[in-house]
Amino acid sequence: MVNLVEDAIDKMKTSAAPVPVILVGGGSILLPEELKGPSEVIRPLHSGVANAIGSAISQVSGQIVKVYALAEKGRETALGQAKEIGMSGAIEVFYCEG
């Protein structure tokens, strides 16, 4: 795992010069304090919950697949029905799995 992270860091760098690396997210605790390649490893305060913070402030999205005859229903009606299907599906998943 450490080798994979070190290789990924090398691939992202724009030059061969060592650069600082900021580790965040729950998995960052599995990595050592020193890595080959970066000039330093930085772990900000509360870095372990960075993914949770990102999830909490992100916009919700979803997807449904359905064909509507817009000539019959109209665009606004079709969008409203699709939105309703998506919202009820999301609520069902939340309460059944959460």
Side-chain angles (χ1 to χ4, degrees):
M1 178 184 71
V2 173
N3 289 338
L4 289 172
V5 171
E6 290 172 341
D7 289 344
I9 291 168
D10 278 340
K11 289 177 184 175
M12 286 188 269
K13 293 187 330 185
T14 57
S15 75
V19 294
V21 171
I22 302 172
L23 297 179
V24 296
S28 66
I29 63 170
L30 302 173
L31 295 170
E33 292 298 320
E34 293 184 16
L35 296 168
K36 294 177 192 165
S39 59
E40 66 178 312
V41 174
I42 302 168
R43 293 176 201 266
L45 185 64
H46 307 300
S47 63
V49 296
N51 293 345
I53 293 169
S55 294
I57 64 172
S58 68
Q59 290 186 353
V60 175
S61 66
Q63 173 179 318
I64 69 162
V65 178
K66 188 166 177 72
V67 176
Y68 289 94
L70 296 182
E72 295 172 16
K73 291 185 180 280
R75 184 175 188 275
E76 292 303 315
T77 301
L79 286 173
Q81 288 177 353
K83 183 177 178 181
E84 192 62 40
I85 291 168
M87 287 174 36
S88 63
I91 291 168
E92 182 179 321
V93 167
F94 177 78
Y95 284 110
C96 290
E97 295 179 7

